[in-house]
Amino acid sequence: MASASGLSHVYVGAAQGSGMLGGIFRRAVGDDRWEHLTKGLPEATHVRAITVHPTNHEVIYLGTQHGPYRSTDRGERWERLGFPDAGAEVWSILVHPGNPRILYAGTSPIGVYRSDGGGDTWRRLPRATQPERVKMGFACRVMRLAADPARPQELYATLEVGGVMRTPDGGESWEDCSAGLVELAERPHLKSKIQSDTDIEGMLDGHALCVSAARPGTVFLAVRMGLFQSADRGTTWQDMEVGLFSPLTYARDVRVSPHDPRVLYVCLSHAARSQDGSLYRSQDLGETWTRFDHGLRAESTMMAVAPHPRDPDQVHCATRSGQVFGTRDGGRTWREQRLPDGVQDVYASACA
């Protein structure tokens, strides 16, 4: 459980708007005090993604509206990385599972960038595009990138609002994996439109995805309409029917446990902005689910879950309005540590 610095930390990132406090916040596990980490970051930083380096937990990457940033000392100081497009907002960052010098960043407007030097320099991958099936009031964004552990060159990306795309060759070529999602949107209970003129909107409203080493080639996808899986690398999709286990089905985050590839966590709520949220766990790759955040009262949408990379008993999650919940005993008991007053738009969480 101890890190090189002797501590574990929880990180939470938020956007900043009128009257709201945003940026990156850090808390030492076991401490109630949040630190607002600002050294090297511009004022009014909107944090969309937090990624901890898998082999060196001193190194943290942030996705922001100003591009990607890196810290080599657990967030004490930040540096902007050499990103080629100053106008691209970074919404997701992935460290390649087979080579930690290779990073990928997903952006808005739609783009995927690759760094072969640990983030020092980047290039845009020219074929990382999707058909525009839905026209929203905001630019489409790459919300999550994930690699298949059995095929580290095979990456998946989910887009808000744009479905799923896949690359078999580390990002050099991409293909659309959304036809099965559009087909599912023909079912009456999976139709949804809020901002567009098409009711396929909800099924293409992607928030997160992951691939487990326990079932290579199977992709787990969190969208507005629930939790879905593809057993054939994105060719077809099936409803996992998480509504059989939870009254809340809007899925915001889904992650594989770093300690047991059969264990999944999913954040479920009523809607993007709601007054309830929950964290569920599956111990059988999504066949069944049970509520994991025992005795908690989330006051808004549950946005992010962060299993600890070295301590299997430790899991943290965060709501949009700044409630942060954590367990250090495998879910038996939980503590709430609210972010400072004024934090209202949480997007990301991590721990190390």
Side-chain angles (χ1 to χ4, degrees), residues 148-166:
D148 188 330
R151 303 181 187 91
Q153 290 294 94
E154 185 163 289
L155 311 179
Y156 296 85
T158 189
L159 290 77
E160 185 183 59
V161 172
V164 175
M165 59 184 184
R166 175 185 71 197

Side-chain angles (χ1 to χ4, degrees), residues 127-142:
R127 298 181 178 89
T129 60
Q130 277 285 81
E132 187 181 50
R133 295 184 175 92
V134 180
K135 184 71 173 177
M136 300 293 287
F138 54 85
C140 187
R141 44 227 191 187
V142 179

Side-chain angles (χ1 to χ4, degrees), residues 21 37 46 49 67 109 130 140 176 204 259 263 287 292 323 328:
L21 182 65
L37 307 175
H46 298 196
Q130 277 285 81
C140 187
D176 183 18
L204 297 184
H259 309 285
V263 173
E287 295 295 324
F292 191 54
Q323 291 173 284
R328 299 171 67 185

Side-chain angles (χ1 to χ4, degrees), residues 26-284:
R26 181 183 69 181
R27 179 180 59 80
V29 172
D31 191 353
D32 290 334
R33 182 176 61 90
W34 288 99
E35 302 170 89
H36 193 193
L37 307 175
T38 60
K39 292 179 183 176
L41 293 175
E43 290 187 16
T45 295
H46 298 196
V47 174
R48 310 298 193 184
I50 308 169
T51 298
V52 178
H53 194 284
T55 59
N56 181 359
H57 299 128
E58 302 292 310
V59 177
I60 314 291
Y61 297 96
L62 294 186
T64 80
Q65 84 273 34
H66 304 295
Y69 282 77
R70 177 179 61 201
S71 171
T72 59
D73 52 13
R74 290 182 167 256
E76 292 292 337
R77 294 174 298 276
W78 300 92
E79 58 177 332
R80 189 180 189 277
L81 301 178
F83 212 58
D85 188 347
E89 298 183 356
V90 173
W91 284 78
S92 50
I93 296 177
L94 171 69
V95 180
H96 190 286
N99 183 348
R101 294 284 295 167
I102 298 175
L103 278 71
Y104 295 89
T107 65
S108 172
I110 298 175
V112 179
Y113 295 74
R114 173 171 167 153
S115 172
D116 293 315
D120 290 336
T121 59
W122 298 77
R123 63 184 174 94
R124 181 167 184 162
L125 301 173
R127 298 181 178 89
T129 60
Q130 277 285 81
E132 187 181 50
R133 295 184 175 92
V134 180
K135 184 71 173 177
M136 300 293 287
F138 54 85
C140 187
R141 44 227 191 187
V142 179
M143 296 293 290
R144 183 69 53 85
L145 294 157
D148 188 330
R151 303 181 187 91
Q153 290 294 94
E154 185 163 289
L155 311 179
Y156 296 85
T158 189
L159 290 77
E160 185 183 59
V161 172
V164 175
M165 59 184 184
R166 175 185 71 197
T167 174
D169 51 18
E172 299 307 321
S173 65
W174 293 81
E175 53 193 339
D176 183 18
C177 296
S178 307
L181 299 173
V182 173
E183 183 178 334
L184 283 169
E186 296 175 2
R187 302 180 182 180
H189 71 287
L190 296 179
K191 296 178 184 292
S192 173
K193 61 179 177 180
I194 297 174
Q195 290 191 19
S196 74
D197 60 357
T198 173
D199 52 19
I200 68 172
E201 179 189 317
M203 283 302 301
L204 297 184
D205 187 9
H207 300 135
L209 49 68
C210 61
V211 185
S212 169
R215 193 173 290 169
T218 294
V219 186
F220 301 96
L221 173 67
V223 302
R224 182 193 304 172
M225 308 312 294
L227 198 61
F228 297 81
Q229 68 176 347
S230 172
D232 51 15
R233 303 164 63 207
T235 303
T236 63
W237 294 90
Q238 296 81 41
D239 190 347
M240 297 179 70
E241 298 184 337
V242 73
L244 296 175
F245 306 96
S246 166
L248 310 178
T249 58
Y250 171 93
R252 190 71 206 191
D253 198 3
V254 60
R255 294 191 184 268
V256 181
S257 166
H259 309 285
D260 183 346
R262 291 184 57 81
V263 173
L264 304 176
Y265 298 95
V266 63
C267 294
L268 299 173
S269 300
H270 281 299
R273 295 187 181 275
S274 65
Q275 296 181 328
D276 198 0
S278 56
L279 178 65
Y280 276 71
R281 180 178 69 174
S282 173
Q283 296 178 288
D284 51 17

Side-chain angles (χ1 to χ4, degrees), residues 267-319:
C267 294
L268 299 173
S269 300
H270 281 299
R273 295 187 181 275
S274 65
Q275 296 181 328
D276 198 0
S278 56
L279 178 65
Y280 276 71
R281 180 178 69 174
S282 173
Q283 296 178 288
D284 51 17
L285 281 171
E287 295 295 324
T288 61
W289 296 87
T290 55
R291 185 155 184 176
F292 191 54
D293 54 343
H294 307 300
L296 301 185
R297 174 66 178 94
E299 297 169 359
S300 60
T301 300
M302 192 71 77
M303 294 292 286
V305 57
H308 196 285
R310 298 181 309 287
D311 182 358
D313 288 332
Q314 215 179 126
V315 180
H316 304 269
C317 56
T319 71

